[in-house]
Amino acid sequence: MSTRRKFLSKAAAGTAAVGTGTILGAPAIHAQSKIKWRMQTYAGPALAEHVIKPAIDSFNKIAGDEMEIELYFADQLVPTGELFRALQKGTIDAVQSDDDSMASPTEVTVFGGYFPFASRYSLDVPVLFNQYGLGKIWEEEYEKVGVKWLSAGAWDPCHFATKDPIRSLEDLKGKRVFTFPTAGRFLNQFGVVPVTLPWEDIEVAVQTGELDGVAWSGITEDYTVGWSDVTNYFLTNNISGAWAGSFYANMDKYQELPPHLQELLKLTMDSSHYYRQWWYWGGEADLRVNGPDMELTTIPDEEWATVETAAIKFWDEIAAESETKAKVVEIFKQYNAVMEKAGRPYRYS
């Protein structure tokens, strides 16, 4: 709230300064002023230290006197669920999030975050966007609503971290879990009760019993943001191999950038994607083996196959909703068929 007040105060002060300058007849300043963007990420401070801050720090160093991106964390300027509207209006200039969490009014929103079993590994996401055509679809869908979709990348897989152990599908029933909208919609059929809360309130909500756990991340995030301190068990089965998130910009602000700064922004996003690839991949393995806070549990493969079968039915339900959704689902099916036929190391049946 303090940050929001400062944000609004700066905006008001800037408006007042412009008005005063006009009244006093101050001479026009012809020198090129430094471009300043405000970017908000879905991530809280501890997580942002890895998933976005190193890349933005690098951008600012290279851009020097030409441009600066001011980075804000989850809910600092606007609630995560209002990120799209703020971006569209130009209240903020850029966003790092998934389509699902920021409630984008597009045909592809349902596929952001964790779309059940759309990926097995983190490398699946950039391949789908860059080689199988998802990037083109996302770009076209966001152009329709006046926002510039910039780039997609992968994060961690989606696992349950809970206070009580989960060793069967029966154990999922009645569990109040913080998760993504589409993941919650899918998991509801197994008795999971999806709960939506501000990101920074999750740890306390688990402590007080308002939540039984989270299905928001992999084990790397559980340890990084402190959720491992309030949960006791980590379920090794996951409903997706990688979170799919993107960078977006206000269309007008992006088009005003000179070409070389647009290119620098692209390289910065690529740097961010690469950092997450190795940080999560290494962290997921290391913390399963060496993490001291959570005990690993597993639902047997033959029982978990029920969930995987339900995911394919869920895909078909989503595909029936629109032509664009059907196109995306068909790409998922084609891609996964290729991976299965390719065999090891792409897929282990």
Side-chain angles (χ1 to χ4, degrees):
M1 184 60 71
S2 174
T3 306
R4 289 184 201 174
R5 288 198 189 102
K6 286 194 288 183
F7 167 63
L8 294 172
S9 298
K10 286 181 181 178
T15 303
V18 171
T20 303
T22 303
I23 294 171
L24 296 176
I29 299 174
H30 299 291
Q32 179 67 44
S33 58
K34 187 174 187 177
I35 299 169
K36 285 199 174 184
W37 274 19
R38 294 180 298 271
M39 172 184 280
Q40 184 169 311
T41 176
Y42 76 98
L47 184 60
E49 283 290 332
H50 294 280
V51 301
I52 182 62
K53 191 174 182 296
I56 297 304
D57 287 346
S58 178
F59 178 94
N60 289 336
K61 287 178 183 178
I62 298 170
D65 293 332
E66 289 191 81
M67 183 173 176
E68 179 184 358
I69 297 176
E70 298 174 347
L71 180 63
Y72 295 87
F73 306 132
D75 304 313
Q76 275 195 304
L77 297 182
V78 298
T80 297
E82 297 176 15
L83 279 175
F84 176 83
R85 286 186 292 172
L87 183 64
Q88 190 180 44
K89 291 177 181 178
T91 306
I92 52 180
D93 306 301
V95 163
Q96 180 202 42
S97 180
D98 68 278
D99 319 80
D100 205 19
S101 296
M102 70 179 199
S104 300
T106 73
E107 289 294 317
V108 296
T109 295
V110 70
F111 303 108
Y114 291 120
F115 190 67
F117 297 97
S119 61
R120 182 75 64 90
Y121 306 118
S122 58
L123 277 174
D124 291 339
V125 174
V127 173
L128 282 162
F129 275 87
N130 295 311
Q131 293 186 357
Y132 278 73
L134 291 193
K136 182 65 175 175
I137 296 173
W138 259 246
E139 186 174 33
E140 291 173 352
E141 286 300 306
Y142 277 93
E143 281 181 359
K144 293 176 185 177
V145 292
V147 165
K148 179 64 177 178
W149 174 83
L150 295 170
S151 179
W155 275 251
D156 48 341
C158 183
H159 293 261
F160 283 86
T162 53
K163 295 170 73 173
D164 298 322
I166 297 175
R167 296 189 173 93
S168 70
L169 293 181
E170 184 68 25
D171 293 334
L172 290 176
K173 292 182 178 178
K175 292 289 188 295
R176 293 160 298 177
V177 173
F178 174 60
T179 190
F180 293 84
T182 299
R185 176 179 165 184
F186 172 69
L187 291 169
N188 186 250
Q189 65 186 292
F190 300 102
V192 174
V193 180
V195 179
T196 301
L197 291 170
W199 191 90
E200 66 270 19
D201 294 344
I202 302 308
E203 185 172 348
V204 173
V206 176
Q207 287 178 307
T208 60
E210 185 177 357
L211 288 174
D212 297 304
V214 296
W216 174 271
S217 68
I219 199 168
T220 307
E221 279 193 26
D222 291 334
Y223 276 85
T224 301
V225 306
W227 293 341
S228 65
D229 295 331
V230 295
T231 56
N232 303 313
Y233 299 92
F234 180 84
L235 181 65
T236 60
N237 311 78
N238 62 58
I239 66 163
S240 178
W243 189 75
S246 295
F247 289 93
Y248 316 82
N250 175 272
M251 184 69 78
D252 292 337
K253 289 296 183 67
Y254 179 77
Q255 291 177 344
E256 289 170 3
L257 289 181
H260 71 285
L261 288 179
Q262 291 182 355
E263 190 67 18
L264 177 57
L265 187 60
K266 178 181 179 298
L267 293 172
T268 299
M269 294 182 295
D270 286 344
S271 172
S272 176
H273 296 327
Y274 174 65
Y275 185 112
R276 291 191 312 275
Q277 285 282 350
W278 59 259
W279 184 66
Y280 277 121
W281 186 257
E284 294 301 301
D286 178 65
L287 289 169
R288 284 192 187 202
V289 176
N290 300 311
D293 296 338
M294 294 190 288
E295 179 183 333
L296 304 184
T297 63
T298 300
I299 295 175
D301 289 345
E302 59 274 14
E303 189 175 0
W304 191 248
T306 304
V307 182
E308 295 180 351
T309 300
I312 302 304
K313 181 180 178 183
F314 184 76
W315 286 15
D316 291 337
E317 291 172 359
I318 296 298
E321 294 178 356
S322 76
E323 184 178 340
T324 299
K325 290 176 182 177
K327 188 175 179 180
V328 173
V329 168
E330 183 58 30
I331 289 174
F332 285 150
K333 288 183 176 181
Q334 291 175 0
Y335 176 74
N336 278 281
V338 169
M339 294 297 109
E340 290 291 344
K341 289 178 181 178
R344 299 171 185 267
Y346 298 96
R347 292 291 184 266
Y348 292 81
S349 299

